[in-house]
C-alpha cells in the first residue's frame, strides 16, 4: 500500500514539482558525496599528521642525543623536555590523545589511537627502545668526565639511538602503508558510490522521460489521426495530474467537440437537403400555378378583346339604326345579350383568379416554412463557428502540439461559412419569390 500511495502521489504531482523533487534528491546525493569527500580528506589529513608525528620521533631522538652530548660536555640543555615530548608523542600515537604538533608555536592536535594491532605492537617496541635509550643516556651522563667507560656508554647510547630510529622508521612505513590502503579503499568506495548514483540518475531520468515522452507520443499520434479525418479513435488514457494530463484532457474535450460538430454538420446537411427538396417542390408548384395564372390572364385578355369588339359593333350598329326606333330596340336587345355573355365570362375569370390566389397563399406559407428552416441552418452555422473558435483557442493553448487541431478548426469554420453563404443565397431566392407572390396577389 505504501508503494501504491507513493506511486499515486508521484502521478498527482505537477511536472515542475517532479523536476524539483528530483533536483533536491540529486542535490542531497551530491551533498552526501561532498560530505563523504570532506571526511575522507580529513581522515587523510589526520593520517598524514600521524605519519609526520611518527617520523618526528627520529628527529627527537637525534635531538636528544645531541642534547646529551652537550650536557656531557658541560653545556646546559633541557634533555628532560625533549624526552618528555618523545614519551607524550609515543603515548598519543598508541592510545590517541592531544599532542604538540608545532614545537615553535606550541600548536596542539588530537591523534586517533593506533589503527591496527601490528602498528600498536611496533609502537610498543618503540616505547621499549625509548626506555632503553633513556637508560643508556642516564648511564652515560652518570659517569664522570675522565671515566674510561664513557666511550663504551657513548657507543651504547648511539646504538640505542639507531635502534630507536629504526623502530620509528618501521612505524612510519607501517603507518604510510596503512594510509595508502585507506586511500585506495576510500577511492574504491567513492567510485562505487559514484557508479550507484549515476545508475540511479539514469533510471530516474529514464522513468521521468517515459512518463513525459510516451503520453506526448500518444497525443501526437491521435492528433495525426484527427487531422486525417478519423474521429473514431478512442479518447486518450489519463494516468496523472500534471500538465501533460491537462493537455490530454483538452485533446479529449476537443475530440468530443469535433465529433459533436461532425454530427451537427451531418444534421445540417440533411436539413439542407430536405430544405432544397422542399424548395424545388415549391418552385415546381409555383411554376405550375404561374402557368395557370398566365392561361387565366390570356383568357381574360381574349374576353376583354371580345367585349371591346362587341362594344364597337354595338356602337356601329347604334349609329346605323339611330334613325329608327325598331333598329335601336333590336340593337339594345343584342347589346343586352352581349353584356350577359360578358358577365358569364367575368364570373369564370373570378373563379380562376380565386384558385390562383389560393395556390399563391399556399406557396407563400411554404416559403415562410423554408425561411424558418434557413434560420435554423444559420443558427447551426453560427454554433459551428463558435465550436471552431473554441477549438482554435484550445489549439493556441497547446502551441506547437495544437497546429493540427487548428487546421481542423479552420476546416469546420469554412464549412460553417459555406453553409451560411448557401442559406443566404436560398434566402435571396425565397425573398424574390415572395415578392413575386405578393405582387401577384395585389
Amino acid at each position: 500500500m505504501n508503494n501504491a500511495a507513493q506511486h499515486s502521489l508521484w502521478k498527482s504531482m505537477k511536472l515542475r514539482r517532479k523536476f524539483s523533487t528530483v533536483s533536491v534528491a540529486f542535490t542531497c546525493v551530491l551533498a552526501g558525496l561532498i560530505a563523504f569527500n570532506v571526511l575522507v580528506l580529513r581522515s587523510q589529513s589526520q593520517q598524514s599528521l600521524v605519519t609526520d608525528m611518527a617520523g618526528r620521533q627520529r628527529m627527537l631522538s637525534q635531538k636528544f642525543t645531541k642534547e646529551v652530548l652537550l650536557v656531557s660536555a658541560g653545556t646546559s640543555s633541557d634533555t628532560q623536555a625533549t624526552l618528555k615530548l618523545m614519551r607524550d608523542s609515543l603515548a598519543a600515537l598508541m592510545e590517541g590523545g592531544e599532542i604538540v604538533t608545532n614545537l615553535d608555536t606550541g600548536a596542539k592536535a588530537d591523534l586517533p589511537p593506533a589503527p591496527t594491532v601490528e602498528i600498536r605492537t611496533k609502537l610498543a617496541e618503540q616505547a621499549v627502545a625509548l626506555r632503553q635509550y633513556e637508560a643508556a643516556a642516564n648511564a652515560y651522563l652518570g659517569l664522570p668526565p675522565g671515566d674510561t667507560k664513557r666511550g663504551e656508554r657513548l657507543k651504547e647510547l648511539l646504538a640505542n639511538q639507531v635502534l630507536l630510529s629504526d623502530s620509528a622508521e618501521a612505524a612510519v612505513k607501517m603507518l604510510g602503508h596503512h594510509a595508502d590502503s585507506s586511500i585506495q579503499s576510500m577511492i574504491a568506495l567513492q567510485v562505487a558510490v559514484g557508479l550507484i548514483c549515476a545508475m540511479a540518475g539514469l533510471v530516474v531520468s529514464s522513468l521521468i522521460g517515459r512518463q513525459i515522452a510516451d503520453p506526448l507520443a500518444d497525443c501526437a499520434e491521435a492528433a495525426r489521426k484527427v487531422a486525417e479525418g478519423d474521429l473514431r479513435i478512442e479518447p486518450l488514457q489519463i494516468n496523472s495530474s500534471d500538465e501533460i494530463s491537462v493537455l490530454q484532457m483538452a485533446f479529449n474535450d476537443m475530440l468530443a467537440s469535433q465529433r459533436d460538430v461532425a454530427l451537427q454538420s451531418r444534421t445540417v446537411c440533411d436539413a439542407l437537403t430536405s430544405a432544397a427538396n422542399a424548395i424545388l417542390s415549391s418552385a415546381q408548384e409555383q411554376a405550375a400555378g404561374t402557368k395557370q395564372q398566365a392561361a387565366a390572364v390570356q383568357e381574360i385578355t381574349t374576353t376583354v378583346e371580345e367585349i371591346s369588339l362587341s362594344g364597337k359593333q354595338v356602337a356601329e350598329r347604334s349609329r346605323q339604326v339611330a334613325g329608327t326606333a325598331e333598329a335601336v330596340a333590336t340593337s339594345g336587345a343584342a347589346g343586352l345579350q352581349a353584356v350577359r355573355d360578358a358577365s358569364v365570362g367575368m364570373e369564370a375569370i373570378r373563379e380562376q383568379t380565386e384558385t390562383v390566389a389560393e395556390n399563391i397563399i399556399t406557396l407563400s406559407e411554404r416559403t415562410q416554412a423554408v425561411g424558418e428552416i434557413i434560420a435554423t441552418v444559420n443558427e447551426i452555422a453560427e454554433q459551428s463557428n463558435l465550436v471552431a473558435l473554441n477549438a482554435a483557442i484550445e489549439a493556441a493553448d497547446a502551441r506547437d502540439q495544437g497546429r493540427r487541431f487548428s487546421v481542423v478548426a479552420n476546416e469546420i469554420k469554412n464549412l460553417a461559412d459555406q453553409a451560411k453563404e448557401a442559406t443566404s443565397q436560398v434566402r435571396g431566392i425565397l425573398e424574390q419569390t415572395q415578392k413575386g407572390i405578393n405582387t401577384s396577389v395585389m
Side-chain angles (χ1 to χ4, degrees), residues 263-273 376-377 380-381 384 419:
L263 291 175
Q264 292 179 0
S265 298
R266 184 174 180 179
T267 303
V268 168
C269 291
D270 294 340
L272 286 174
T273 302
T376 302
V377 172
I380 295 174
S384 299

Side-chain angles (χ1 to χ4, degrees), residues 245-383:
S245 66
V246 175
L247 177 61
Q248 290 175 329
M249 287 188 289
F251 179 84
N252 290 337
D253 293 340
M254 189 201 70
L255 180 61
S257 298
Q258 295 295 330
R259 289 177 176 174
D260 293 339
V261 169
L263 291 175
Q264 292 179 0
S265 298
R266 184 174 180 179
T267 303
V268 168
C269 291
D270 294 340
L272 286 174
T273 302
S274 301
N277 292 331
I279 292 171
L280 180 61
S281 299
S282 299
Q284 291 176 351
E285 292 178 358
Q286 183 180 2
T290 303
K291 290 180 179 179
Q292 293 178 358
Q293 184 179 4
V297 171
Q298 184 64 34
E299 291 179 358
I300 292 171
T301 302
T302 303
T303 304
V304 171
E305 290 178 353
E306 291 178 354
I307 292 172
S308 177
L309 181 59
S310 298
K312 291 179 180 180
Q313 292 175 355
V314 170
E316 183 65 25
R317 290 177 182 179
S318 297
R319 285 194 297 269
Q320 292 177 0
V321 295
T324 60
E326 186 176 0
V328 172
T330 303
S331 296
L336 180 60
Q337 184 62 37
V339 171
R340 290 176 179 175
D341 294 337
S343 177
V344 173
M346 291 297 292
E347 183 66 20
I349 290 172
R350 185 185 63 79
E351 292 177 357
Q352 291 179 356
T353 302
E354 289 178 353
T355 302
V356 171
E358 290 176 356
N359 292 331
I360 290 173
I361 291 171
T362 301
L363 180 60
S364 177
E365 292 175 353
R366 292 180 180 179
T367 303
Q368 291 178 355
V370 172
E372 294 176 355
I373 293 173
I374 290 173
T376 302
V377 172
N378 277 332
E379 291 178 357
I380 295 174
E382 291 177 356
Q383 292 177 359

Side-chain angles (χ1 to χ4, degrees), residues 377-428:
V377 172
N378 277 332
E379 291 178 357
I380 295 174
E382 291 177 356
Q383 292 177 359
S384 299
N385 276 328
L386 291 176
V387 172
L389 179 59
N390 291 331
I393 293 172
E394 293 291 339
D397 291 339
R399 296 183 179 175
D400 293 338
Q401 290 81 3
R403 291 179 179 175
R404 296 181 177 176
F405 307 159
S406 178
V407 172
V408 176
N410 290 332
E411 291 298 326
I412 294 173
K413 184 176 182 301
N414 293 333
L415 179 60
D417 292 337
Q418 292 176 2
K420 191 172 181 179
E421 183 178 359
T423 54
S424 298
Q425 294 176 357
V426 173
R427 182 184 296 276

Side-chain angles (χ1 to χ4, degrees), residues 26-41 190 193:
F26 277 105
T27 302
C28 293
V29 172
L30 182 60
L33 290 176
I34 293 174
F36 180 74
N37 288 328
V38 170
L39 292 176
V40 170
L41 292 175
Q190 285 182 338
V193 172

Side-chain angles (χ1 to χ4, degrees), residues 105-181:
T105 62
K108 297 181 179 181
D110 289 330
L111 295 183
T116 63
V117 177
E118 292 80 4
I119 295 175
R120 187 181 182 85
T121 302
K122 181 58 66 174
L123 292 174
E125 293 176 358
Q126 185 178 349
V128 173
L130 179 60
R131 287 192 294 271
Q132 293 175 355
Y133 181 47
E134 180 184 0
N138 291 330
Y140 175 74
L141 293 176
L143 295 175
D147 195 337
T148 57
K149 294 182 179 180
R150 285 177 64 86
E152 294 179 359
R153 294 297 182 183
L154 180 59
K155 290 181 180 180
E156 183 180 356
L157 176 64
L158 295 176
N160 285 321
Q161 191 270 331
V162 172
L163 180 62
L164 181 61
S165 297
D166 293 340
S167 179
E169 181 68 22
V172 169
K173 289 182 179 180
M174 293 180 70
L175 287 170
H177 180 70
H178 179 265
D180 292 338
S181 300

